[in-house]
Amino acid sequence: QTCKVWDTRAPTSSTLTFTGHTGDVNGVEFLPSDNNCFASCSEDNTVRIFDIRASDELAKFQGPASLGASAGNGSGGFSESPSDGLTSLAVSKSGRLVFCGDSEGNFS
């Protein structure tokens, strides 16, 4: 339910903790366009964008139904919400797009 950042030069304790997710965090990836920001996905069906400099959440995206088109159903969203939420994510090279998937094979 939290994302922690460690300084590898002093790995005995985390330097920053980001909260907001209400389920287990399953994926984290830095945004290529801004190495001070990262995206995370969770079992709570949300993708969140955090800023390390501000130690704050910048954006929250509710999924899976509202994130966009999924493979297979053509309806512009996932057919149903899987019980284990979002399990993976990737960020485009520009940092403008975030892709996420679930254990049912759906992606957005």
Side-chain angles (χ1 to χ4, degrees):
Q1 296 178 342
T2 61
C3 297
K4 293 184 179 268
V5 177
W6 279 268
D7 182 340
T8 58
R9 298 167 294 181
T12 56
S13 65
S14 62
T15 57
L16 296 169
T17 300
F18 296 88
T19 60
H21 286 295
T22 58
D24 290 346
V25 175
N26 293 322
V28 174
E29 188 169 329
F30 277 92
L31 303 183
S33 57
D34 185 347
N35 287 328
N36 291 301
C37 295
F38 66 91
S40 61
C41 70
S42 169
E43 289 180 3
D44 65 7
N45 289 326
T46 64
V47 172
R48 294 169 190 260
I49 309 293
F50 294 99
D51 186 331
I52 290 176
R53 293 165 297 200
S55 296
D56 199 17
E57 181 180 296
L58 298 178
K60 172 185 168 185
F61 303 96
Q62 184 65 44
S66 64
L67 280 177
S70 69
N73 72 6
S75 66
F78 287 92
S79 57
E80 60 183 57
S81 180
S83 61
D84 53 356
L86 302 176
T87 56
S88 61
L89 83 155
V91 179
S92 68
K93 288 183 181 182
S94 69
R96 290 184 38 202
L97 302 173
V98 177
F99 306 89
C100 58
D102 64 27
S103 63
E104 303 293 320
N106 298 308
F107 67 93
S108 181

